[in-house]
């Protein structure tokens, strides 16, 4: 683990350790550098990550402030969501309309006579290929889906249509990259990757997008409350 990543996670851990009486600010950058035995540049990189995930804000000349509520709420961030939109770009590889298969009918609550959009896009972070995303969306609700939309934010597009996004259901599985995927991503066949299956769900329960993602540079951090009931259930 990089020093800056360790410092970011350690500071986040300390913020949650003090959730009952949360301090208003973190120590100054110079003091943190001394405590961790690293350069101020390394500390700055760690703080940039905490800013990007909404844990702290930096006020020039005043200090590093912990955002209200951060110590009492669950937090999940990954190698995509911690990046600013300016660092992320998409390239559409394929888009077509077709009938849904049996699984897609179940996911979107459609009949065999309905249509879905199926598209593939390449996600790049800081000009580096990191993900192939295979997605499906119901055509009836999103009739004007096009290349411009696919190469920008799908969530912003959905919100612009007047829908309210509720949550997502996500599954992770370790896989290796196929020959076809390696060709698209520009990497070696057989390297380790993460297969991410995701359903984007609207308020009311309807699924607006169903995606399979192959990511060759994936990391994820969770801060979640301890669940005593779940532990007891698993021990029975």
């Amino acid at each position: 683990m990089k020093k800056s990543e360790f410092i970011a996670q350690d500071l986040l851990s300390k913020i949650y350790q003090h959730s009952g009486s949360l301090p208003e600010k973190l120590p100054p950058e110079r003091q943190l550098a001394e405590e961790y035995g690293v350069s101020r540049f390394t500390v700055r990189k760690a703080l940039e990550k905490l800013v990007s995930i909404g844990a702290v804000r930096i006020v020039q000349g005043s200090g590093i402030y912990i955002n209200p509520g951060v110590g009492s709420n669950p937090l999940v961030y990954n190698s995509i969501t911690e990046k600013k939109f300016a660092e992320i770009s998409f390239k559409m590889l394929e888009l077509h309309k077709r009938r849904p298969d049996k699984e897609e009918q179940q996911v979107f609550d459609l009949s065999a006579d309905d249509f879905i959009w199926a598209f593939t896009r390449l996600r790049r972070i800081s000009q580096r290929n990191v993900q192939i995303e295979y997605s499906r969306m119901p055509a009836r609700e999103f009739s004007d889906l096009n290349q411009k939309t696919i190469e920008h934010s799908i969530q912003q597009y959905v919100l612009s249509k007047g829908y309210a996004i509720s949550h997502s259901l996500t599954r992770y599985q370790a896989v290796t990259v196929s020959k076809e995927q390696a060709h698209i991503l520009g990497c070696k066949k057989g390297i380790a990757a993460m297969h991410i299956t995701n359903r984007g769900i609207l308020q009311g329960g309807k699924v607006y997008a169903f995606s399979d993602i192959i990511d060759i540079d994936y990391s994820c951090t969770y801060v979640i409350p301890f669940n005593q009931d779940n532990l007891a259930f698993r021990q029975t």
Side-chain angles (χ1 to χ4, degrees), residues 194-226:
M194 188 67 73
H195 178 194
I196 306 165
T197 304
N198 186 69
R199 300 186 190 201
I201 303 172
L202 301 173
Q203 286 187 10
K206 188 172 181 62
V207 175
Y208 69 86
F210 182 37
S211 304
D212 284 283
I213 299 166
I214 301 297
D215 191 312
I216 58 173
D217 189 26
Y218 189 79
S219 64
C220 188
T221 299
Y222 294 83
V223 185
I224 56 176
F226 173 65

Side-chain angles (χ1 to χ4, degrees), residues 173-177 181 190-195 214:
Q173 182 178 2
V175 295
T176 56
V177 174
Q181 292 163 351
I191 67 169
M194 188 67 73
H195 178 194
I214 301 297

Side-chain angles (χ1 to χ4, degrees), residues 3-22:
K3 282 282 188 180
S4 60
E5 179 66 34
F6 171 80
I7 294 169
Q9 294 206 3
D10 194 58
L11 289 174
L12 197 57
S13 173
K14 288 178 169 58
I15 289 172
Y16 274 79
Q17 288 170 33
H18 293 87
S19 60
S21 55
L22 198 64

Side-chain angles (χ1 to χ4, degrees), residues 31-45:
Q31 182 180 331
L32 291 173
E34 292 175 357
E35 290 179 2
Y36 286 102
V38 298
S39 67
R40 292 182 66 176
F41 174 79
T42 301
V43 169
R44 201 168 297 126
K45 295 292 287 184

Side-chain angles (χ1 to χ4, degrees), residues 34-234:
E34 292 175 357
E35 290 179 2
Y36 286 102
V38 298
S39 67
R40 292 182 66 176
F41 174 79
T42 301
V43 169
R44 201 168 297 126
K45 295 292 287 184
L47 293 174
E48 286 174 0
K49 171 162 284 194
L50 295 185
V51 169
S52 71
I53 63 175
V56 304
R57 68 188 187 281
I58 299 174
V59 179
Q60 285 298 121
S62 181
I64 308 160
Y65 289 85
I66 299 168
N67 287 328
V70 69
S72 57
N73 295 317
L75 176 67
V76 179
Y77 69 92
N78 61 45
S79 47
I80 297 296
T81 59
E82 71 185 19
K83 300 294 183 182
K84 294 181 179 179
F85 287 127
E87 299 175 76
I88 304 173
S89 62
F90 297 95
K91 179 182 178 182
M92 190 186 80
L93 304 179
E94 183 183 13
L95 169 65
H96 64 276
K97 186 185 290 187
R98 61 171 172 80
R99 303 290 188 184
D101 61 24
K102 290 289 187 182
E103 183 179 85
E104 292 158 349
Q105 291 174 42
Q106 290 289 337
V107 169
F108 295 111
D109 191 22
L110 299 174
S111 74
D113 295 325
D114 287 315
F115 284 94
I116 63 167
W117 290 110
F119 63 87
T120 305
R121 63 180 181 172
L122 180 67
R123 181 183 271 115
R124 310 185 76 205
I125 302 293
S126 302
Q127 306 302 313
R128 179 171 175 261
N129 299 337
V130 295
Q131 283 188 357
I132 305 171
E133 178 184 334
Y134 310 94
S135 289
R136 286 83 81 201
M137 298 179 70
R140 182 171 54 206
E141 286 81 0
F142 305 105
S143 59
D144 60 348
L145 185 70
N146 55 40
Q147 180 174 352
K148 182 178 179 180
T149 297
I150 290 168
E151 292 186 343
H152 290 80
S153 169
I154 294 297
Q155 290 183 334
Q156 287 292 341
Y157 167 69
V158 171
L159 293 173
S160 75
K161 305 293 285 184
Y163 294 105
I165 297 174
S166 173
H167 56 284
S168 60
L169 174 64
T170 308
R171 178 179 182 270
Y172 306 94
Q173 182 178 2
V175 295
T176 56
V177 174
S178 70
K179 181 179 179 180
E180 178 185 0
Q181 292 163 351
H183 177 72
I184 295 172
L185 290 164
C187 65
K188 292 183 178 180
K189 173 190 173 184
I191 67 169
M194 188 67 73
H195 178 194
I196 306 165
T197 304
N198 186 69
R199 300 186 190 201
I201 303 172
L202 301 173
Q203 286 187 10
K206 188 172 181 62
V207 175
Y208 69 86
F210 182 37
S211 304
D212 284 283
I213 299 166
I214 301 297
D215 191 312
I216 58 173
D217 189 26
Y218 189 79
S219 64
C220 188
T221 299
Y222 294 83
V223 185
I224 56 176
F226 173 65
N227 189 325
Q228 180 67 52
D229 292 337
N230 179 261
L231 177 63
F233 173 78
R234 292 169 63 196

